[in-house]
Amino acid sequence: MSQKEKTTIILFSADLDKAIAAFIIANGAAAYGHEVTVFFTFWGLNTLRKDQPVSVRKGFLENMFGKLMPRGANKLGLSKMNFAGIGPKLIKHVMKKHNALSLPQLIELAREQGVKLVACTMTMDLLGLKKEELIDGIDYAGVATYLGDAAEAKVNLFI
Amino acid sequence: MSQKEKTTIILFSADLDKAIAAFIIANGAAAYGHEVTVFFTFWGLNTLRKDQPVSVRKGFLENMFGKLMPRGANKLGLSKMNFAGIGPKLIKHVMKKHNALSLPQLIELAREQGVKLVACTMTMDLLGLKKEELIDGIDYAGVATYLGDAAEAKVNLFI
Amino acid sequence: MSQKEKTTIILFSADLDKAIAAFIIANGAAAYGHEVTVFFTFWGLNTLRKDQPVSVRKGFLENMFGKLMPRGANKLGLSKMNFAGIGPKLIKHVMKKHNALSLPQLIELAREQGVKLVACTMTMDLLGLKKEELIDGIDYAGVATYLGDAAEAKVNLFI
């Protein structure tokens, strides 16, 4: 009864704008007292990648996926008006001008507020992403964990 | 107990097809007796723009964003098969043929049914959109308002 | 009280990756004991198309839509890194290598588990898709049915 409200967000997309929206909602909900979990699946996993290449043994395809996908929160493109990478630069510039937190800062704030960041192990396997390549302090789980959380949450979004 | 069911929709996208889906769900929920709120954020804000340019003072970047983004519900493109603007014309033609309401008519119906249309002030700032540029009779709020509504709603969608 | 938890998913998109995500969540929720409904609307309807052309009488535009849209779960593209159809082949190859179920197998599993697959009749009309063109054993309904289900569900996603 006196339990905390819960909020879950699936971040499927690797678009900068969608990742920003996800983290603004996650941080808002955490500030509001919700227990918040963000599940990173498919392309969304790229948000959690370290920005430097990490030496891990991979097959040919996994290696190629790793090279083609954006390496970390700073490398994401926009879902609209990407203009070969100029769009994200403009958005970052405008956000700085307005003293809005950048995506890496939003992620940092989320961690400080206790938002649980969970990487989907099934899609990590598919895309050939290894734990060593993702940022520290995150959790690893599958769809069962997501459903357990979502079934207890009021707000569940797929972004 | 005798409270109305609540439904919230975040419209993040500026795609005609997604905006139509959002308003069909919003209008359906309102007809069903739900209290419905649609939050317009990022590109979704373009759905609320007046179709004529409005003279407001803006910086260079904000001016450019304003010119590059679609001006109002009639100018949105499709998420698939846009074909440089032919897709939206075909969809509008087919909708008319089937006597389906157009997006501007769906928005009008939503307002008549008391659906709350809320523009996200934070992303208005980022994209340089001013209140004078958006249609009349809408509300302005931030993520806290959204979360307050969503935490009381059964159906919460991110479109 | 002893009622089953409910989960609804709107599949709006015709992207292979998003359809896979939708069916992994749907199958997970069904295995978890939820009553699950997947509503297919707009481009998402293509997931339900038979892979062979079906002879039905159609207008010119409806015929063209039918030819331009992907014919069934095996023909969907990726939301990212589609590379003119090479991306989907790679993903399918990688999924097979990892013994992950393919999309047609995920759909089959969903049916075996009693997941309700519902085609949105309104968008079928718009896109000119006929019942004969869709796979057998699915339901047909509109937004009112969706809202009835969603209002009783804990987890409602728009994909």
Side-chain angles (χ1 to χ4, degrees):
Chain A
M1 295 296 151
S2 65
Q3 271 189 317
K4 276 181 152 189
E5 298 268 16
K6 287 184 183 182
T7 290
T8 75
I9 296 171
I10 295 179
L11 186 58
F12 172 93
S13 147
D15 298 320
L16 176 64
D17 40 359
K18 292 194 175 170
I20 289 172
F23 274 95
I24 286 173
I25 297 168
N27 281 320
Y32 213 74
H34 293 204
E35 219 175 285
V36 186
T37 312
V38 186
F39 286 85
F40 298 82
T41 188
F42 275 89
W43 321 111
L45 284 167
N46 292 301
T47 318
L48 297 178
R49 288 175 81 187
K50 291 177 183 156
D51 51 11
Q52 295 303 322
V54 177
S55 161
V56 282
R57 224 179 286 174
K58 289 197 190 191
F60 173 74
L61 267 182
E62 288 78 3
N63 217 341
M64 198 180 70
F65 278 134
K67 291 221 164 94
L68 288 172
M69 297 188 300
R71 205 183 289 282
N74 257 322
K75 302 283 173 46
L76 307 183
L78 288 178
S79 68
K80 298 274 160 191
M81 310 212 303
N82 193 52
F83 301 133
I86 299 172
K89 289 214 182 81
L90 292 184
I91 285 285
K92 287 177 194 171
H93 174 80
V94 163
M95 287 178 72
K96 207 165 177 181
K97 201 176 107 183
H98 285 274
N99 295 314
L101 296 181
S102 68
L103 180 56
Q105 290 172 322
L106 286 168
I107 296 175
E108 200 38 48
L109 177 61
R111 299 167 77 160
E112 284 168 19
Q113 290 200 100
V115 171
K116 228 173 28 172
L117 307 181
V118 183
C120 169
T121 46
M122 199 203 89
T123 45
M124 281 177 68
D125 271 5
L126 286 184
L127 299 174
L129 291 170
K130 311 284 184 194
K131 288 189 184 185
E132 298 92 300
E133 297 177 83
L134 304 187
I135 58 175
D136 299 322
I138 61 175
D139 292 321
Y140 296 88
V143 68
T145 306
Y146 164 70
L147 286 163
D149 283 1
E152 292 180 354
K154 282 269 187 63
V155 185
N156 296 305
L157 304 172
F158 184 99
I159 296 184
Chain B
M1 295 297 152
S2 65
Q3 269 189 317
K4 276 180 154 192
E5 297 268 17
K6 286 184 183 182
T7 290
T8 76
I9 295 171
I10 296 179
L11 185 57
F12 173 92
S13 149
D15 298 320
L16 175 63
D17 41 359
K18 292 194 175 171
I20 289 171
F23 274 95
I24 286 173
I25 297 168
N27 281 321
Y32 213 74
H34 292 204
E35 220 176 284
V36 186
T37 312
V38 186
F39 286 86
F40 298 82
T41 187
F42 275 89
W43 320 112
L45 284 167
N46 291 302
T47 318
L48 298 178
R49 288 175 81 186
K50 291 175 183 158
D51 52 9
Q52 295 303 322
V54 178
S55 162
V56 283
R57 224 178 285 176
K58 290 198 188 189
F60 172 74
L61 267 182
E62 286 79 2
N63 218 338
M64 198 180 71
F65 278 134
K67 292 221 164 96
L68 289 173
M69 297 187 302
R71 205 183 288 283
N74 257 322
K75 302 282 173 49
L76 307 184
L78 288 178
S79 68
K80 298 276 159 191
M81 310 211 303
N82 194 51
F83 301 133
I86 300 173
K89 289 211 183 83
L90 293 184
I91 286 284
K92 286 176 195 171
H93 174 79
V94 163
M95 288 178 71
K96 208 166 176 179
K97 202 176 105 186
H98 285 274
N99 294 315
L101 295 182
S102 68
L103 181 55
Q105 288 172 322
L106 286 168
I107 296 175
E108 200 39 48
L109 176 61
R111 300 167 77 159
E112 284 168 19
Q113 289 201 99
V115 171
K116 229 173 31 172
L117 307 181
V118 183
C120 168
T121 46
M122 200 203 89
T123 45
M124 283 177 66
D125 271 5
L126 287 184
L127 299 175
L129 291 170
K130 312 284 185 194
K131 288 188 185 186
E132 298 91 302
E133 298 177 84
L134 303 188
I135 58 175
D136 298 322
I138 61 174
D139 292 321
Y140 296 89
V143 69
T145 305
Y146 164 69
L147 286 163
D149 283 2
E152 292 181 354
K154 282 267 188 65
V155 185
N156 296 305
L157 303 172
F158 183 99
I159 297 184
Chain C
M1 293 298 153
S2 63
Q3 270 190 317
K4 276 180 153 191
E5 298 268 16
K6 286 184 184 184
T7 290
T8 76
I9 295 171
I10 295 179
L11 185 58
F12 172 92
S13 148
D15 298 319
L16 175 63
D17 41 358
K18 291 193 175 172
I20 290 172
F23 274 95
I24 287 173
I25 297 168
N27 280 320
Y32 213 74
H34 292 204
E35 218 175 286
V36 186
T37 312
V38 185
F39 287 86
F40 299 82
T41 187
F42 276 89
W43 321 112
L45 284 167
N46 291 303
T47 317
L48 297 178
R49 288 175 82 187
K50 291 176 184 158
D51 51 10
Q52 295 304 321
V54 177
S55 161
V56 283
R57 223 178 288 175
K58 289 196 189 192
F60 173 74
L61 266 182
E62 287 78 2
N63 218 337
M64 197 180 69
F65 278 135
K67 292 223 165 93
L68 289 172
M69 297 187 302
R71 204 183 288 282
N74 256 323
K75 302 284 173 48
L76 307 183
L78 288 178
S79 69
K80 297 277 160 190
M81 312 210 303
N82 194 51
F83 301 133
I86 299 172
K89 290 213 183 83
L90 293 184
I91 286 285
K92 286 176 195 171
H93 174 80
V94 163
M95 287 178 72
K96 207 165 177 180
K97 201 176 103 184
H98 285 274
N99 295 314
L101 296 181
S102 69
L103 180 55
Q105 289 172 321
L106 287 168
I107 296 175
E108 200 39 49
L109 177 61
R111 300 167 77 160
E112 285 168 19
Q113 291 200 97
V115 171
K116 230 177 23 176
L117 307 181
V118 184
C120 169
T121 46
M122 201 203 87
T123 46
M124 281 176 67
D125 271 6
L126 286 184
L127 299 175
L129 291 171
K130 311 285 184 195
K131 288 188 185 186
E132 298 91 302
E133 297 177 84
L134 304 187
I135 57 173
D136 299 323
I138 61 175
D139 292 322
Y140 296 89
V143 69
T145 304
Y146 165 70
L147 285 162
D149 283 0
E152 291 180 355
K154 282 268 187 63
V155 184
N156 296 305
L157 303 172
F158 184 99
I159 296 185

